[in-house]
Amino acid sequence: KRSMVMSEEEKKLTAYHEAGHALVALNCPEHVPIHKATIIPRGQALGMVQYLPEKDQHSQKVKELKAILCSALSGRMAEEIIFGKENITYGAASDIQKVTQIATSMVTEWGMSEKLGRLRYSSNQQEVFLGHSVTESKNISDDTAAIIDKEIRNLINEAEERSRKILTENIKDLHTLAKGLLEYETLTEAELKDLIKGIQPSRDDDFDDNTTVTPTPKTSVPKSGGTTAPQPN
């Protein structure tokens, strides 16, 4: 719903959530390029970061999948870092679903777990996500199911740690991108990179990304690429 009206608090939280996704993706060399980041609501989403592969992909490497896990978790991680654990939202629900599906496939279908080897452990049913679910649908021991769960959790925990490290080490850039999204609402990858360098987006009067974005003649985004951190609520 493009007509959805968000409060200033919701806009700020959404801006940091999407800035978190964007910043981590920019800092993962193996990640696919960003098409755009926006805080203009679409459907049930208050904002989003869209990605644009440089070429058609028929397969993905382990390091590319791990980069996707990392960037997908970074929206929630940015919320937690800036606003505190008590103020995180359920806006990361689709991100959590995405990382669960990818990590589970890596472990149970794609043979990417050294402990489990090159065996397929998932059933043909799409609803299988965790090891105990596999146990219910196939004749797999409890010990193997526990290993499956642990391997899935390890992948997600590793991605969370990497995400937190990137965000905390580049916290000034996180503030800069969030303020840029609050001001311009939609930013391309080139504009995100420019903001980090202290270069402001140049917008024509007819700028349009299939959304309505009003160019802002003056900017409060710091030219240095940094800003004073807001106090967590």
Side-chain angles (χ1 to χ4, degrees), residues 210-229:
N210 296 323
T211 61
T212 302
V213 179
T214 304
T216 307
K218 296 182 179 180
T219 178
S220 60
V221 179
K223 293 183 179 180
S224 63
T227 185
T228 303

Side-chain angles (χ1 to χ4, degrees), residues 31 48 52 79 87 101 108 191 221:
H31 203 286
M48 67 181 70
L52 188 65
E79 289 183 29
N87 294 303
Q101 291 174 332
T108 64
E191 290 171 334
V221 179

Side-chain angles (χ1 to χ4, degrees), residues 191-202:
E191 290 171 334
L192 291 165
K193 289 180 176 178
D194 281 347
L195 276 176
I196 291 173
K197 296 175 183 176
I199 303 170
Q200 305 308 317
S202 177

Side-chain angles (χ1 to χ4, degrees), residues 16-136:
Y16 274 97
H17 182 106
E18 303 308 334
H21 283 310
L23 182 59
V24 169
L26 290 174
N27 280 273
C28 291
E30 60 274 24
H31 203 286
V32 295
I34 295 172
H35 171 50
K36 66 178 179 180
T38 182
I39 59 169
I40 296 177
R42 293 287 185 90
Q44 297 299 314
L46 298 181
M48 67 181 70
V49 176
Q50 295 180 332
Y51 303 99
L52 188 65
E54 293 177 310
K55 57 184 179 181
D56 291 338
Q57 288 184 300
H58 302 290
S59 64
Q60 289 179 296
K61 301 174 183 176
V62 171
K63 63 180 181 180
E64 293 170 339
L65 292 167
K66 287 184 174 182
I68 293 172
L69 294 178
C70 187
S71 66
L73 290 166
S74 58
R76 164 63 67 81
M77 190 61 67
E79 289 183 29
E80 181 180 318
I81 291 171
I82 300 300
F83 302 102
K85 289 184 178 180
E86 296 300 316
N87 294 303
I88 60 175
T89 70
Y90 56 71
S94 61
D95 299 327
I96 293 171
Q97 180 182 16
K98 178 180 180 179
V99 299
T100 303
Q101 291 174 332
I102 292 174
T104 301
S105 294
M106 290 174 71
V107 171
T108 64
E109 296 183 50
W110 301 335
M112 295 177 177
S113 166
E114 291 302 319
K115 289 186 177 180
L116 292 165
R118 283 7 109 193
L119 296 175
R120 179 183 173 90
Y121 290 93
S122 70
S123 71
N124 293 324
Q125 298 175 350
Q126 294 298 316
E127 69 270 15
V128 173
F129 291 105
L130 297 175
H132 290 299
S133 298
V134 176
T135 303
E136 294 173 3

